[in-house]
Amino acid sequence: MASDCLFCKIIRGEIPATIIYEDAEIVAFKDVDPQAPQHFLIVPRKHIRTTLDLTTADNNLIGNIYQVAGKLAHDLGFAEDGFRIVNNCNEAGGQAVWHLHFHLLGGRDMTWPPG
Ligand code: AMP
Ligand code: ZN
């Protein structure tokens, strides 16, 4: 846990968020500035700064995050239509919050290439 990290604060319940899923190692909540009709953030409870800070000890965690993403897409009804999972890494990748997170986007046709 990092005391000044926005997502750690959400995980600790110090900042309100619409939490849609949580387990012992993962929390998912609505993105406050949705870029699609369905836009959620899936985050590990563990404070990991970026994708580049992952180690082999996190391999199961990342697998579990993808399992949660698929389950949420299914439960929320957009799995069959299709969806996108996005992880932005570092400034040029568009990362703004320095706690590893995966965007789960659905409810519209996605475009390619991404912006
Ligand atoms: P990124 O640019 O990949 O670091 O994404 C950060 C995301 O966090 C953005 O999509 C923001 O809209 C979202 N965000 C920022 N503050 C909050 C908050 N308080 N609650 C929920 N989502 C947030
Ligand atoms: Zn954090």
Side-chain angles (χ1 to χ4, degrees), residues 17-22 27-30 40-42 72 76 104:
T18 304
I19 292 174
I20 60 158
Y21 175 89
E22 56 184 324
V27 177
F29 50 91
K30 280 190 178 178
F40 307 97
L41 299 172
I42 306 174
L72 289 174
L76 293 163
L104 174 62

Side-chain angles (χ1 to χ4, degrees), residues 6-7 10 15-17 29-35 39 41 86-89 93-99 101 103:
L6 174 64
F7 289 172
I10 287 175
I15 290 178
F29 50 91
K30 280 190 178 178
D31 196 296
V32 77
D33 181 21
Q35 302 301 311
H39 186 175
L41 299 172
V86 174
N87 167 242
N88 298 325
C89 184
Q95 186 170 2
V97 177
W98 302 94
H99 179 131
H101 54 279
H103 298 257

